[in-house]
Amino acid sequence: MPVFTRSRDLPGSSGDGPPASADDTETVPEPEEPEEPQEPQEPGSEAPEGDTAPPRTLRARVAHWRAWRSRYPRAARVVWWTVTALSLALVLAAMVMPNQLQLLRADQFVRLPGEAIIAAALLLSLPRRPRLVAAAALGIGLAALTVVNVLDMMYAEYLGRGFNLILDWGLLDDAQSYVADSMGETTALAATAGLLLLIAALFAVMALAAVRLSNLLVRDVAASTRGTLIAGTIWITCSVLSVQYAGLPLAFHRAVTAATVKAQAVRQTIADEAAFAKENRVDAFGHTPPEQLVPDLRGKDVVFTFIESYGRSAIEDPVMAPGVNRTLTASNAALAKAGYHARSGWLTSATYGGGSWLGHSTTLSGLWIDNQQRYRTVMSSDRLNLPKIFKKTGAWDTVGVMPGIQKAWPEQKHYGLDKVYNAFQLGYQGPKFSWSTMPDQYALEAFQRLEHGKKRDKPLMSEIILTSSHQPWAPLPTMVGWDEVGDGSVFDSIQKAGENASEVISDSARSRKAYGESIEYSVTALTQWLERYGTEDTVMVFLGDHQPVARVSGDNANRDVPISIVAKDPKVLDKVASWNWTDGIRPAKDAPVWRMDLFRDRFLTAYGSTPHPSK
């Protein structure tokens, strides 16, 4: 008589437990049924003796594969326990995951998350369908928290701060553009596609893991309830007694804390928008008549130059400082020989590691612009910045040289620049140096050819952004003879002989070395241009916009950047003698440190501007 087996927990009957063993089955007589006539088989179609004929239909094939656990019970048991353990590890890791790269260590994950206990109690109390929905929502929430934690790590590494849920989504597009400019469009597209697939997979896997664990909980409700109560008791005891491991409490609620911090940041961002809008409308020089603005600089060609990532670390870090300081010393001596004098100090930048436009706008506007929302507010206002102030006097032509701009730049109107030369308007025919579209030496030579070297009715006020010291600092340009610069083709062989960007950016030691060399190059190009083309009436202000990223400047670096004023006319520097800045273009370690937003008003006051505040 044919028989069939009945299992108390056969694999395939429920996806929530390990497959049953042979001891869990019993043999039961199968009711006899009348035999059906068999269709004749085609010749050669008989299955070999002892084998099962392969299924012919799609439904049969699916059923065949779904029943694999019945055919391989031991393998199924191993797979079940492995997947369950991985699901548990994934969910718990997401609950205790730190948002700082330096804390991403194994000992930081040895925690008892209170959220897991609360989630278990909630899931045990729900009927089947609400339980599955709640478990999937929990998994999706943990996946979102993981993504935000990783973003916090990356933003802290590159910008020295966490990720802002309201303001920073737009910067992800800038990051993609940076990768494309530095390593090629194909690499950027591949990296973007891979990242999106990884995020989608994370959300799917985390949701499935949470559902699997919820199913495991309800297999034995009584045991799960006892376990949840015991875990809750242990958590409360560890919390009351302040039990710690590796410097952190064993009873943890990282996910709730992270969500609370982000919610507070959102509220602060919304409140800051209104407060900053009011601050933007108050300007100490907002109603100053044109003739009372910078009268002590009339007749001077004034050049404001920002050197990308030129931070205090370049001058004081033991790896970069020796080469950079040799360059500063040599350049200072060359400038002095050419008749120039200089004073230098420190400014604390509004940004760190990136977001150069925040440093530029803070310096020029006299407002603390440390996020994109503030930047947009200022750019859409009539706030007086330094270029606009020079333009308002009617005594200067204003021009910008910005080789980093490769698309429309509506900010030109806000800054009051009569003309802006972007990456495509400087006549450069040479190669790109990773992100930087052209070497600083070429940009300065083009500025001389197109604007500074021309005869004009008015002096020139210029804003120049030098980009050769922008990460990833490979390949780097080197100086050539100024008469050899031409259209930039001379830099072809230099670019080809340079280091590979992907190799340098992935190596902290090589990045620090290359960063120092890039600052040496930019300072050399700028000071040589001043020696070669400066006049008795040239006044140059040059400074850094922010410190380099943390892997170069260090995890605990400050935000200070050097600033120097250089001129041949001693009266220009006499006006800032009360500032107590250091003589020369290298600021002393104990030179005064100002917030970057204080520079505009102090500069205007020093050169004779009369305050007439706007209301």
Side-chain angles (χ1 to χ4, degrees):
M1 175 183 296
V3 299
F4 70 92
T5 58
R6 183 172 62 198
S7 170
R8 287 187 290 270
D9 187 18
L10 275 176
S13 61
S14 171
D16 301 323
S21 64
D23 295 336
D24 296 328
T25 61
E26 55 181 316
T27 302
V28 181
E30 185 183 57
E32 293 191 8
E33 298 178 0
E35 294 186 358
E36 296 182 1
Q38 301 293 322
E39 296 183 4
Q41 293 184 335
E42 297 180 6
S45 63
E46 298 86 352
E49 187 176 349
D51 289 348
T52 302
R56 295 181 178 181
T57 66
L58 178 61
R59 179 177 295 180
R61 288 177 181 176
V62 171
H64 177 77
W65 282 110
R66 290 184 65 180
W68 72 273
R69 293 185 298 178
S70 300
R71 300 193 302 274
Y72 309 104
R74 288 190 177 182
R77 189 180 295 273
V78 171
V79 170
W80 188 92
W81 283 111
T82 301
V83 173
T84 301
L86 290 175
S87 298
L88 181 63
L90 184 64
V91 168
L92 292 180
M95 289 182 175
V96 300
M97 180 181 179
N99 66 343
Q100 300 178 47
L101 201 57
Q102 63 269 24
L103 294 180
L104 206 58
R105 307 188 306 265
D107 59 9
Q108 299 298 306
F109 291 87
V110 184
R111 304 281 173 249
L112 179 59
E115 298 89 346
I117 299 170
I118 295 172
L122 174 64
L123 294 174
L124 282 168
S125 66
L126 294 174
R128 181 178 182 277
R129 284 192 176 181
R131 171 177 58 80
L132 294 179
V133 172
L138 172 65
I140 291 172
L142 290 176
L145 178 63
T146 302
V147 171
V148 172
N149 283 335
V150 173
L151 287 171
D152 276 342
M153 294 179 194
M154 296 300 100
Y155 271 68
E157 174 74 9
Y158 286 94
L159 299 178
R161 61 175 177 80
F163 178 75
N164 189 299
L165 287 173
I166 293 181
L167 304 178
D168 287 341
W169 295 106
L171 296 182
L172 297 178
D173 181 61
D174 291 330
Q176 197 270 348
S177 298
Y178 163 71
V179 175
D181 291 337
S182 300
M183 302 181 186
E185 191 71 32
T186 302
T187 300
L189 290 175
T192 302
L195 185 60
L196 292 175
L197 287 174
L198 183 62
I199 292 173
L202 173 66
F203 275 82
V205 170
M206 194 73 79
L208 291 173
V211 169
R212 183 180 189 88
L213 295 177
S214 76
N215 288 338
L216 182 63
L217 279 174
V218 299
R219 282 178 57 81
D220 190 334
V221 174
S224 297
T225 302
R226 287 195 300 272
T228 302
L229 290 173
I230 293 171
T233 303
I234 294 173
W235 192 94
I236 294 172
T237 302
C238 291
S239 179
V240 170
L241 298 179
S242 299
V243 179
Q244 293 192 348
Y245 177 78
L248 287 175
L250 192 61
F252 219 44
H253 46 83
R254 167 79 181 90
V256 171
T257 301
T260 302
V261 169
K262 290 301 179 184
Q264 290 174 347
V266 168
R267 289 195 296 270
Q268 290 170 359
T269 299
I270 295 172
D272 179 71
E273 182 176 9
F276 183 72
K278 294 180 180 179
E279 183 182 349
N280 181 48
R281 289 193 291 268
V282 179
D283 188 344
F285 295 91
H287 288 164
T288 300
E291 64 273 10
Q292 295 181 20
L293 291 170
V294 287
D296 296 339
L297 288 176
R298 300 298 166 103
K300 303 293 186 184
D301 286 325
V302 183
V303 185
F304 288 92
T305 305
F306 291 92
I307 299 179
E308 170 66 35
S309 301
Y310 181 29
R312 189 165 191 150
S313 297
I315 295 176
E316 296 183 354
D317 182 88
V319 173
M320 290 96 70
V324 172
N325 287 332
R326 280 194 300 269
T327 297
L328 290 172
T329 300
S331 298
N332 194 70
L335 288 172
K337 186 177 179 180
Y340 288 96
H341 311 278
R343 295 283 178 84
S344 300
W346 303 103
L347 299 180
T348 300
S349 178
T351 185
Y352 170 91
S356 300
W357 58 93
L358 303 179
H360 303 164
S361 56
T362 295
T363 304
L364 299 176
S365 72
L367 291 170
W368 188 253
I369 304 174
D370 61 348
N371 62 51
Q372 197 66 14
Q373 177 175 271
R374 288 185 165 216
Y375 180 78
R376 288 193 296 264
T377 298
V378 173
M379 290 301 113
S380 61
S381 73
D382 58 358
R383 174 81 181 188
L384 284 178
N385 51 68
L386 286 174
K388 187 182 288 186
I389 286 171
F390 279 87
K391 180 180 178 63
K392 182 179 178 180
T393 66
W396 279 272
D397 292 328
T398 57
V399 65
V401 177
M402 304 184 179
I405 294 178
Q406 302 180 59
K407 53 187 177 182
W409 194 60
E411 288 91 334
Q412 176 180 347
K413 180 179 179 181
H414 169 78
Y415 280 115
L417 295 167
D418 296 322
K419 186 168 186 179
V420 169
Y421 292 92
N422 63 26
F424 310 109
Q425 296 170 321
L426 291 167
Y428 184 63
Q429 299 300 314
K432 287 183 65 176
F433 284 77
S434 192
W435 183 88
S436 180
T437 58
M438 65 191 69
D440 291 345
Q441 185 182 11
Y442 179 88
L444 291 164
E445 179 66 24
F447 168 59
Q448 177 65 26
R449 181 182 74 251
L450 296 169
E451 292 290 344
H452 187 264
K454 291 182 176 180
K455 292 183 179 181
R456 56 180 66 250
D457 297 330
K458 299 178 183 178
L460 191 63
M461 181 273 157
S462 312
E463 180 187 355
I464 302 175
I465 313 296
L466 299 181
T467 62
S468 289
S469 50
H470 195 290
Q471 65 170 322
W473 308 298
L476 287 176
T478 56
M479 295 296 295
V480 300
W482 286 90
D483 294 330
E484 301 173 7
V485 171
D487 65 358
S489 300
V490 68
F491 294 103
D492 282 336
S493 58
I494 297 173
Q495 190 263 358
K496 291 176 181 176
E499 294 186 286
N500 186 282
S502 60
E503 295 176 357
V504 171
I505 200 171
S506 61
D507 187 322
S508 179
R510 292 177 68 178
S511 290
R512 296 174 76 191
K513 179 177 178 293
Y515 163 74
E517 292 172 352
S518 74
I519 296 298
E520 294 173 38
Y521 169 79
S522 294
V523 169
T524 299
L526 182 60
T527 54
Q528 283 192 11
W529 177 88
L530 190 55
E531 292 175 54
R532 184 178 177 89
Y533 297 118
T535 69
E536 297 293 329
D537 292 323
T538 302
V539 177
M540 176 175 284
V541 181
F542 73 91
L543 67 155
D545 46 21
H546 55 73
Q547 284 266 51
V549 294
R551 73 173 183 278
V552 170
S553 60
D555 293 328
N556 299 312
N558 57 40
R559 294 190 173 201
D560 295 348
V561 298
I563 181 170
S564 301
I565 299 178
V566 188
K568 281 190 175 181
D569 186 350
K571 295 179 182 178
V572 173
L573 296 184
D574 289 343
K575 297 291 183 180
V576 298
S578 62
W579 293 359
N580 296 318
W581 282 13
T582 306
D583 288 335
I585 61 173
R586 175 188 170 188
K589 189 171 184 177
D590 59 352
V593 182
W594 304 343
R595 279 194 5 158
M596 188 175 266
D597 57 328
L598 299 178
F599 176 75
R600 189 205 71 157
D601 287 5
R602 293 185 180 183
F603 180 86
L604 293 175
T605 301
Y607 291 105
S609 303
T610 305
H612 285 275
S614 58
K615 297 180 181 180

